[in-house]
Amino acid sequence: MTELPKTFDPAEIESRWYAHWERNGLFRPERPDAVPFTIVNPPPNVTGSLHIGHALDNTLQDIVIRYERLRGKDALWVVGTDHAGIATQMVVERQMEARQDKRTNYTRDQFIEKVWEWKAESGGAITRQLRRLGCSMDWANERFTMDEGFSKAVVKTFVELHKRGLLYRDKRLVNWDPHFRSAISDLEVETQEVKGGFWHFRYPLADGVKLANGADHIVVATTRPETMLADMAVAVHPEDPRYKDVIGKDILQPITGRRFKVVGDDHADPELGSGAVKITPGHDFNDFEVGKRAGFKAADMLNMFDADANVVQTADGLIPERFLGLHRFRRDGVDGARELVVAEMKALGLLVPHVTKTKEGEEVEADAEPRTIQTPFGDRSGVVIEPWLTDQWYVDAEKLAVAPMQAVRDGRIEIVPKTWEKTFFNWMENIQPWCVSRQLWWGHQIPAWYDEDGNPYVAESEEEAQALAGNKRLARDPDVLDTWFSSALWPFGTLGWPEQTETLSRHYPNDLLISGFDILFFWDARMAMQGMEFMGDVPWRKLYLHGLVRAADGQKMSKSKGNVVDPLGLIDRFGADALRFFMAAMESQGRDVKMDEKRVEGYRNFATKLWNAARFLQSNGVTASTGHEAPHAEAPVNRWIIAETVATVQAIDTAMTELRFDAAANAIYHFVWDQFCDWYIELTKGAMDEETKAVAGWAFDQILVMLHPFMPFITEELWNLTGTRANELIVARWPQALYAVDSDAQAEIDWLIRLIGAMRTARTELNVPPGAKLKLVVRDEVEETRRRLDRQGAALARLGRVESLSFGDDVEGGAAQIVVDEATFILPLEGVIDIEAEKARLAKALAAAEKERDSLSGRLSNPSFVEKAKPEAVAKAREDHAEKAAEAERLKAALERLA
């Protein structure tokens, strides 16, 4: 047994033990006959770095996998990274730009080769960072969504879905990123508030038609005047009395004079603006649906922008030549289509100016009403996303969603917390076709080939496609698949599918998926769809959705706010164990985690407490236990700590079954800090006989095992420094809570703790000198209390500073009275403190505390304060009120003791 250093160095311990575990294959020990337990990690982007959300997600997964490994299961944690098409292509292109180079200087194959070179040199930094966090993943079988085997699975999935009629090509609106010249997913769109305008234009009615009020036009309001050249209708509410008579009539595009119809549709809100909206199906998602209801086919919808968001001619030549080539917005000092449209409408007298009044009553005109507009931006490109009508590949998500919804309804998939089920069903029941094609070079190229007439042939290889096409010349689709398409195969593609491997049959379905709620639909639901379609079973039996990690004030973290917390910085300062324990203790189902560095520091102190407890035990001759069973014990304090250990195992087991990470963490925390380190060590200090040494060694070993999933590094270090072990802690045996709880011992020591605690509180409140020993007089006690006092007299004398013990004696002068259960315990204070001075001090302090309490109560009962003050000010007032109320109660109790 090695003597423990006075202090421990987390950084040194962490790097040493992680390397040892990985080198010796301890993350996946050979257990072919054990019950399998499987989780897969949400594959982080190969370009990514560890952020605080990753730290939470992966800590929770590691706690579960270490717990199940300790329980003897064949615990597999599948690990890998996502090729992250758009993010990776962007990183590589930016590096090229820094060298005055660009992607278009190379062929597609040459560029992809450069991406692979980047991955080999720089990709995967996040996997090294996950190791720093302590993640015990199956690195020996690490996967990548572009590796050969996984790519085979992706291609087969695409082809099979196409064969089954669940994947097709269609012309629809997509989120188009003009910077990357690609469709992007909803998850890659970031909505921002932008200062813009709300323009009002007169659209002339055709053929002399007029409104009921005599107007020969309809005023249409829009935030996007540049798209009006591609208008195909004006919509009004079917029941709006202002416009009912002109529904179905022709109206004119103001600049070109092109005719289209006034249509009735519920999308038009009579209360918003003029109640009339222009319909541009090729450049607005709502308008696209209105257009479909109005009978427009997607092929006939007008698209007036190219891939760079510059104005182009429509198929019917409807755009005036002077607009062609303009960007949609003003750029680099040059007016765009928006500015030219507004100028022409103004020149035609068809712009309705926005009129405001100054303080002096003067009317001021402006072209548009100022508005703050929710505007979509590409989260990586930073440019405004354009709804763009284009041909893409789609998955029939509506049909694929049926099986997962049924699996949730019948309990084959359990969503935790259950409150997320409503959100799940709401989205799945209204699901839209899933656009899976992207206009990039990096990614899984779509396995489709086209003949000269544009007919597609979908096959797993070019040879198979050619066989389908006969002697027609073919060209491959240049697009790649959405990365969510490939990652949707993660639960079975990583296990060898489409090959029917032993690993696949043993570990599918997975047991659990831990995921942030924010990717419930982008990843979780799609895994459920693909898993049930191709494996005929759920991908995982339980889905746990955790919240976000927010700043201390509850705000969402963002670089622009400057409130982002770096988990690696926290690990450098406090150690991985402290950060992990914080994440677990703060993870409460259905709530977000508020970042609190003070609490992380507090858990670093907890680790120090554990270390010092180990040093104390070692200095008193306590060594590792010799077996799994608890030693035989006679002393109540030893029987008590055994019972408390068993109760803690039971509490953790229950919490882990229910995925109550906070409950599990708090159970082991309070057992270690309160029962073991504070009371058990205090109660046995100076009385370490052989029985106590054996029990202390056994209980401390159980602590190390129970704490290991949360704090793997310090527990492994102490496990190996406190005795000779048959194996490392990571593959030890989880404690079995099979012993009958010794309720008599628990009751006696709990009573002793309450009595000593009450005596210490009284001494502190009454300013009794710390070194003063007091007499203790007991009244109204039952026989069991007398027996307990007899057995625990030594502990009372030492920890309660009791000089002598007597029963029923009269006490002269002032005294403190304490009631514990049926008995009254009296501490005579005459000659020890100035009774009258203490009464005066306590009365004065009580009056001050009550005054502050009542003042705060008055503020909190004032609706004006609660409703108008900042939330943090109200929260602070509530905290202060609770603190002052508790202080008043303590002081009142102290006065009553003296009385």
Side-chain angles (χ1 to χ4, degrees):
M1 183 170 65
T2 307
E3 183 179 352
L4 285 166
K6 288 184 178 180
T7 58
F8 74 103
D9 177 4
E12 190 276 328
I13 291 172
E14 290 166 11
S15 60
R16 172 163 45 83
W17 274 115
Y18 198 94
H20 175 87
W21 291 329
E22 185 173 356
R23 187 170 58 248
N24 290 279
L26 297 176
F27 296 148
R28 186 83 196 289
E30 290 293 328
R31 294 176 176 174
D33 300 324
V35 175
F37 182 87
T38 313
I39 59 175
V40 298
N41 82 315
N45 287 355
V46 69
T47 60
S49 59
L50 192 73
H51 59 60
I52 203 71
H54 290 134
L56 172 63
D57 192 79
N58 286 280
T59 292
L60 300 181
Q61 292 177 78
D62 196 47
I63 288 169
V64 171
I65 209 72
R66 286 180 184 270
Y67 172 72
E68 297 295 353
R69 189 186 295 120
L70 288 166
R71 294 176 72 208
K73 293 185 180 179
D74 175 18
L76 168 62
W77 186 4
V78 176
V79 61
T81 49
D82 191 288
H83 64 280
I86 201 164
T88 304
Q89 183 161 321
M90 180 185 74
V91 166
V92 176
E93 286 197 58
R94 281 182 177 172
Q95 288 186 350
M96 294 172 77
E97 288 169 6
R99 302 190 302 267
Q100 307 299 311
D101 201 357
K102 56 183 179 180
R103 172 171 58 96
T104 50
N105 289 341
Y106 302 89
T107 65
R108 181 187 189 119
D109 288 343
Q110 287 171 335
F111 176 76
I112 291 173
E113 191 175 318
K114 288 187 176 294
V115 180
W116 279 108
E117 289 172 2
W118 170 86
K119 181 187 180 294
E121 294 172 7
S122 308
I126 193 168
T127 61
R128 295 188 292 275
Q129 294 163 348
L130 288 171
R131 288 172 165 90
R132 285 202 64 193
L133 189 63
C135 298
S136 54
M137 297 162 157
D138 185 22
W139 295 109
N141 296 294
E142 182 180 351
R143 299 305 301 266
F144 179 51
T145 50
M146 286 285 285
D147 67 34
E148 184 178 354
F150 203 86
S151 295
K152 181 179 178 182
V154 173
V155 170
K156 185 173 182 64
T157 300
F158 188 96
V159 174
E160 282 297 315
L161 286 173
H162 185 263
K163 284 180 181 176
R164 299 176 191 186
L166 295 169
L167 188 148
Y168 54 90
R169 193 156 174 82
D170 195 11
K171 184 184 286 293
R172 294 176 62 91
L173 277 187
V174 295
N175 295 310
W176 186 262
D177 189 314
H179 175 81
F180 290 114
R181 299 168 61 92
S182 174
I184 62 174
S185 75
D186 290 342
L187 191 63
E188 293 161 322
V189 176
E190 187 178 80
T191 301
Q192 300 177 20
E193 290 188 345
V194 174
K195 290 182 179 179
F198 200 41
W199 287 266
H200 290 72
F201 298 127
R202 297 184 183 93
Y203 277 47
L205 289 159
D207 305 322
V209 172
K210 295 186 178 182
L211 298 178
N213 64 2
D216 61 356
H217 61 272
I218 293 177
V219 174
V220 173
T222 179
T223 60
R224 297 205 62 196
E226 68 277 7
T227 63
M228 69 184 298
L229 297 172
D231 286 350
M232 297 188 71
V234 167
V236 297
H237 194 278
E239 302 302 322
D240 192 331
R242 295 172 294 179
Y243 306 119
K244 282 181 71 172
D245 294 342
V246 298
I247 292 175
K249 304 295 186 181
D250 280 1
I251 195 167
L252 303 179
Q253 203 290 327
I255 291 177
T256 65
R258 176 167 49 87
R259 285 175 174 253
F260 42 77
K261 299 291 184 184
V262 177
V263 299
D265 196 282
D266 290 346
H267 171 64
D269 183 354
E271 304 298 322
L272 182 65
S274 65
V277 292
K278 70 185 198 66
I279 301 301
T280 316
H283 294 288
D284 184 277
F285 288 101
N286 289 322
D287 291 5
F288 182 79
E289 298 301 323
V290 174
K292 287 200 301 183
R293 291 193 290 271
F296 302 140
K297 294 180 180 179
D300 298 326
M301 293 180 184
L302 299 178
N303 187 345
M304 60 173 284
F305 293 128
D306 63 12
D308 296 305
N310 295 322
V311 179
V312 291
Q313 189 56 270
T314 62
D316 298 329
L318 301 175
I319 306 296
E321 190 171 335
R322 60 189 177 278
F323 287 92
L324 299 180
L326 292 178
H327 189 63
R328 55 186 170 161
F329 309 134
R330 181 178 176 84
R331 188 171 64 173
D332 299 328
V334 177
D335 283 349
R338 171 175 294 186
E339 289 73 25
L340 186 55
V341 164
V342 171
E344 292 207 8
M345 290 295 286
K346 194 172 183 179
L348 291 168
L350 298 177
L351 183 146
V352 181
H354 176 66
V355 180
T356 57
K357 286 188 176 181
T358 65
K359 291 180 180 179
E360 293 75 25
E362 294 181 17
E363 290 190 347
V364 178
E365 289 189 356
D367 288 350
E369 174 190 348
R371 281 282 182 94
T372 298
I373 301 168
Q374 299 292 325
T375 306
F377 284 81
D379 65 346
R380 291 187 174 86
S381 66
V383 303
V384 175
I385 294 306
E386 183 65 44
W388 203 51
L389 193 63
T390 180
D391 292 302
Q392 304 283 349
W393 288 96
Y394 290 88
V395 168
D396 191 342
E398 184 178 358
K399 290 181 180 176
L400 288 179
V402 173
M405 285 194 288
Q406 184 56 42
V408 173
R409 289 192 181 100
D410 62 30
R412 283 176 292 154
I413 293 177
E414 178 188 357
I415 297 179
V416 182
K418 193 176 178 64
T419 50
W420 279 108
E421 282 189 9
K422 182 179 180 182
T423 306
F424 173 81
F425 286 122
N426 183 58
W427 189 77
M428 294 287 269
E429 288 165 356
N430 297 283
I431 200 166
Q432 297 295 309
W434 173 18
C435 176
V436 296
S437 46
R438 299 289 182 266
Q439 290 63 54
L440 303 170
W441 281 2
W442 172 246
H444 299 103
Q445 192 169 354
I446 287 173
W449 287 259
Y450 300 93
D451 63 23
E452 292 176 340
D453 295 324
N455 300 308
Y457 300 87
V458 175
E460 292 187 40
S461 67
E462 186 171 1
E463 291 74 22
E464 292 177 25
Q466 194 67 64
L468 293 172
N471 59 2
K472 295 178 181 178
R473 292 183 60 186
L474 298 180
R476 187 167 184 176
D477 193 318
D479 292 351
V480 299
L481 283 163
D482 173 19
T483 53
W484 297 104
F485 184 90
S486 49
S487 62
L489 315 183
W490 203 241
F492 56 97
T494 53
L495 302 177
W497 189 88
E499 303 299 325
Q500 296 305 306
T501 64
E502 182 182 345
T503 302
L504 180 64
S505 61
R506 183 169 170 75
H507 290 279
Y508 189 95
N510 305 164
D511 292 86
L512 172 69
L513 178 74
I514 294 179
S515 161
F517 73 83
D518 52 338
I519 55 172
L520 172 59
F521 309 120
F522 297 102
W523 189 50
D524 306 345
R526 287 167 180 174
M527 281 189 287
M529 293 179 198
Q530 300 287 45
M532 297 196 75
E533 177 66 25
F534 288 96
M535 297 297 295
D537 201 351
V538 299
W540 8 258
R541 296 182 178 92
K542 189 175 289 190
L543 168 61
Y544 181 85
L545 297 168
H546 60 76
L548 302 175
V549 183
R550 295 185 176 272
D553 59 3
Q555 289 192 57
K556 191 172 181 179
M557 291 186 186
S558 71
K559 291 179 180 177
S560 61
K561 293 177 182 175
N563 61 357
V564 174
V565 174
D566 177 15
L568 297 173
L570 293 173
I571 291 173
D572 288 339
R573 292 164 60 195
F574 305 117
D577 285 333
L579 177 60
R580 289 167 59 101
F581 204 93
F582 168 80
M583 291 298 183
M586 296 296 286
E587 171 52 28
S588 180
Q589 287 183 12
R591 296 182 181 179
D592 289 338
V593 173
K594 285 187 180 179
M595 195 62 230
D596 185 347
E597 288 193 14
K598 282 293 182 185
R599 289 198 67 160
V600 181
E601 184 179 9
Y603 294 127
R604 169 66 162 78
N605 297 339
F606 174 58
T608 300
K609 183 97 169 176
L610 183 73
W611 188 270
N612 289 338
R615 293 185 69 240
F616 171 80
L617 294 177
Q618 190 179 71
S619 67
N620 282 273
V622 176
T623 59
S625 56
T626 55
H628 297 293
E629 304 298 322
H632 175 74
E634 295 289 342
V637 70
N638 290 328
R639 288 159 43 214
W640 168 75
I641 200 64
I642 291 171
E644 291 296 328
T645 304
V646 172
T648 304
V649 174
Q650 292 171 339
I652 295 174
D653 284 341
T654 299
M656 291 301 293
T657 299
E658 298 172 352
L659 295 176
R660 294 276 180 184
F661 293 96
D662 54 344
N666 289 328
I668 185 62
Y669 178 89
H670 289 298
F671 175 63
V672 172
W673 192 289
D674 298 333
Q675 279 100 334
F676 190 85
C677 291
D678 278 0
W679 285 108
Y680 182 68
I681 286 179
E682 274 208 82
L683 290 168
T684 57
K685 197 174 286 183
M688 280 278 183
D689 55 21
E690 291 307 310
E691 176 190 298
T692 303
K693 288 180 183 179
V695 171
W698 174 84
F700 194 72
D701 276 3
Q702 309 317 301
I703 284 172
L704 294 178
V705 180
M706 288 188 284
L707 190 54
H708 179 76
F710 305 91
M711 301 181 109
F713 294 110
I714 188 173
T715 52
E716 185 73 86
E717 179 79 348
L718 290 174
W719 177 264
N720 285 274
L721 290 180
T722 53
T724 302
R725 309 288 187 172
N727 46 258
E728 291 89 343
L729 175 57
I730 191 174
V731 289
R733 196 174 95 174
W734 185 255
Q736 302 298 300
L738 303 177
Y739 312 100
V741 173
D742 192 332
S743 55
D744 290 341
Q746 279 187 305
E748 179 166 325
I749 302 303
D750 286 344
W751 167 86
L752 178 62
I753 289 170
R754 283 185 289 125
L755 176 55
I756 293 172
M759 291 168 61
R760 287 175 170 176
T761 299
R763 291 172 64 106
T764 301
E765 288 173 345
L766 299 173
N767 274 343
V768 174
K773 290 192 174 184
L774 304 178
K775 294 176 181 179
L776 180 63
V777 179
V778 188
R779 289 179 182 163
D780 306 323
E781 75 285 352
V782 297
E783 186 57 34
E784 177 59 24
T785 297
R786 279 194 172 237
R787 286 195 292 268
R788 286 175 175 174
L789 286 166
D790 182 55
R791 288 191 293 265
Q792 302 300 337
L796 266 176
R798 183 164 54 85
L799 301 179
R801 310 293 292 172
V802 173
E803 183 179 61
S804 64
L805 177 65
S806 61
F807 296 89
D809 297 342
D810 289 331
V811 177
E812 294 183 4
Q817 296 192 39
I818 299 162
V819 177
V820 177
D821 297 340
E822 87 296 342
T824 301
F825 298 85
I826 303 167
L827 297 169
L829 297 173
E830 196 67 40
V832 179
I833 61 172
D834 185 332
I835 304 292
E836 294 307 316
E838 278 305 310
K839 283 184 179 179
R841 182 185 68 82
L842 290 169
K844 183 178 180 181
L846 174 60
E850 288 177 336
K851 182 179 180 181
E852 285 198 55
R853 176 199 65 192
D854 295 342
S855 173
L856 288 161
S857 180
R859 287 180 73 192
L860 291 168
S861 62
N862 181 354
S864 179
F865 170 72
V866 175
E867 293 169 9
K868 295 179 180 178
K870 290 183 178 180
E872 52 267 32
V874 176
K876 180 70 166 57
R878 288 197 173 113
E879 288 175 15
D880 291 346
H881 177 265
E883 181 184 330
K884 288 301 173 184
E887 183 182 344
E889 287 299 316
R890 288 196 304 271
L891 292 166
K892 185 178 179 182
L895 261 176
E896 288 172 351
R897 287 195 186 103
L898 278 180

